[in-house]
Amino acid sequence: MKKYVHGGDVYRNPSVLDFSANINPLGTPSSVLQAAAEGLQLIAHYPDAHQEKLKEALSQYEEVPTDWLICGNGAAELIFLLAQALQPKKALLPAPTFAEYEQALRSVGCEICYEFLKEENGFVPQESILERLTEDMDFFVLCNPNNPTGLLVEQGLADRILETCRTNHICLLADECFLDFVDEGEALSFKNKLISGDTVFLLKAFTKRYAMAGLRLGYGICPDRALLDAMEFRVQPWNISIPAQMAGIAALKEEQYVRRSMDLISKEKEYLRKELQDLGCLVYDSRANYLFFKGESDLGQKLLKEKIMIRDCSNYPGLSEGYYRIAVKLPDENRKLVETMKRVGCGNICER
């Protein structure tokens, strides 16, 4: 059985400075912590299985009808529910991309085809991907910005992907979880192009934007009500706890927190980009709250010995040893990473 490896494993690696999980560096907002704590006082009761208050808050925040919304125990649950509801026979996945798509699709016996994103093209999808979106394809995933590269699909190509999927009746899963960290993210979202009945599923999460990974709260936007009904039929009742629902409502009000985090991430990402380049790393133009780069093959092990954990991306299909992803963290933490990389000897590690 294939083992799916992710970042953020602080349980097997205690006391590390964790750059492997892309969580908002400002930490969880105090209002969210307070709301979750208040929710704990109510756990003698069942959660609202319909999540009415949470969906009303999301409807206002996203400016979409409430019946276009579905909430999940993290975005990952929604990926699996979507696969279970659709039961696709054949799916196309870009590679590299997030592992949960493949795991969910394989769990329902779906045939997986890959569109390998080439290093010489900077791991950015090309027009040739449209040729793979044929009528015999049932399902396509577009993670934008992509994980682990942080790269955006060119907007014109993204629009053509959407239209091709519509024409050929391919369900499009558009993972926009990291679009929250892109300055023009709202304008780039497929949300603005959805039409009634579209079999297009937009995946969103509270996990990264509000540093709520441990509470598990994600949501989807989809105008195909029949598809959402099929997903809800397959989900267990009360899948989202009272603390998670209350925390989510509080988080959506944190506009100043989001602006502060965007400013911090933008500044610190440029610092890290320059320092990595000066060390000889090949750094890609990530638009998310992390950087993707190529370094020496044992860099991850060297840093782990120094109690710093980065994401080794060699287990992603389409990537080899030496590719890494690092979160953008607080200034002192970012400087510690750079200083440690210099100390363990990371000079001239990539071909220019």
Side-chain angles (χ1 to χ4, degrees):
M1 181 176 178
K2 184 173 181 178
K3 184 178 180 181
Y4 290 86
V5 180
H6 297 280
D9 190 4
V10 296
Y11 306 100
R12 254 62 56 187
N13 299 279
S15 304
V16 296
L17 178 54
D18 183 17
F19 280 84
S20 69
N22 312 311
I23 307 300
N24 193 315
L26 291 182
T28 314
S30 58
S31 66
V32 173
L33 294 173
Q34 182 179 346
E38 291 172 0
L40 286 174
Q41 304 303 312
L42 302 173
I43 60 172
H45 304 284
Y46 285 101
D48 178 8
H50 301 289
Q51 304 118 22
E52 283 187 352
K53 290 183 179 179
L54 176 58
K55 285 182 179 177
E56 287 172 4
L58 281 168
S59 176
Q60 293 179 19
Y61 181 84
E62 294 285 1
E63 298 181 331
V64 297
T66 55
D67 63 357
W68 284 20
L69 292 166
I70 185 171
C71 298
N73 190 254
E77 180 181 52
L78 295 172
I79 297 170
F80 278 81
L81 286 173
L82 183 60
Q84 292 164 19
L86 285 170
Q87 296 284 315
K89 301 300 181 185
K90 189 175 182 181
L92 180 66
L93 296 180
T97 198
F98 188 51
E100 249 70 5
Y101 314 134
E102 179 180 346
Q103 186 181 10
L105 291 165
R106 290 198 184 281
S107 75
V108 296
C110 182
E111 176 189 350
I112 306 294
C113 303
Y114 294 108
E115 173 71 9
F116 286 99
L117 307 178
K118 297 179 181 179
E119 185 176 17
E120 56 264 34
N121 294 326
F123 295 108
V124 176
Q126 304 296 302
E127 292 281 340
S128 58
I129 201 167
L130 298 173
E131 300 172 5
R132 306 289 305 278
L133 297 173
T134 52
E135 291 181 352
D136 65 333
M137 199 68 67
D138 302 310
F139 195 89
F140 177 64
V141 178
L142 184 66
C143 185
N144 197 36
N146 193 22
N147 181 4
T149 65
L151 301 172
L152 284 168
V153 179
E154 187 273 322
Q155 187 59 42
L157 177 57
D159 291 342
R160 288 190 287 279
I161 287 172
L162 174 62
E163 289 305 320
T164 303
C165 286
R166 280 176 176 152
T167 299
N168 292 334
H169 306 291
I170 300 168
C171 177
L172 171 60
L173 167 57
D175 187 338
E176 298 185 349
C177 287
F178 290 106
L179 204 56
D180 298 322
F181 296 100
V182 178
D183 288 334
E184 68 276 27
E186 184 69 17
L188 297 175
S189 173
F190 280 145
K191 182 180 68 175
N192 309 307
K193 300 179 175 68
L194 295 178
I195 56 178
S196 182
D198 253 348
T199 309
V200 178
F201 190 92
L202 305 189
L203 187 67
K204 307 276 282 184
F206 289 77
T207 304
K208 317 296 185 180
R209 181 171 52 190
Y210 302 109
M212 289 172 54
L215 270 180
R216 311 306 305 137
L217 184 59
Y219 60 100
I221 302 172
C222 179
D224 186 341
R225 188 61 238 178
L227 175 56
L228 294 184
D229 287 343
M231 293 174 67
E232 289 175 348
F233 177 75
R234 288 161 173 81
V235 72
Q236 60 167 324
W238 313 299
N239 61 321
I240 303 173
S241 70
I242 294 173
Q245 291 190 40
M246 292 179 65
I249 293 168
L252 294 173
K253 300 174 184 177
E254 283 287 342
E255 296 179 3
Q256 185 178 3
Y257 164 90
V258 172
R259 287 194 295 270
R260 284 176 53 221
S261 62
M262 290 284 285
D263 290 342
L264 173 66
I265 291 166
S266 177
K267 180 180 178 181
E268 288 300 308
K269 185 164 64 173
E270 288 312 305
Y271 162 76
L272 283 172
R273 187 193 310 276
K274 181 181 183 302
E275 292 292 335
L276 290 175
Q277 288 173 338
D278 288 347
L279 281 168
C281 299
L282 177 60
V283 187
Y284 291 82
D285 187 25
S286 169
R287 301 295 304 279
N289 62 328
Y290 51 85
L291 285 173
F292 176 68
F293 68 97
K294 188 176 184 181
E296 57 187 0
S297 60
D298 61 347
L299 176 61
Q301 295 95 313
K302 284 183 176 181
L303 290 174
L304 194 56
K305 290 178 181 177
E306 301 292 327
K307 292 291 185 177
I308 294 178
M309 185 163 61
I310 65 175
R311 178 65 164 93
D312 182 342
C313 296
S314 60
N315 69 314
Y316 282 85
L319 294 180
S320 58
E321 289 187 352
Y323 284 101
Y324 301 97
R325 189 193 67 202
I326 57 168
V328 177
K329 297 179 73 67
L330 294 174
D332 288 349
E333 296 169 322
N334 296 330
R335 279 144 188 80
K336 183 174 180 179
L337 170 65
V338 170
E339 291 167 4
T340 306
M341 288 180 69
K342 290 177 180 178
R343 190 172 68 251
V344 300
C346 297
N348 300 317
I349 53 182
C350 290
E351 294 182 4
R352 291 286 185 172

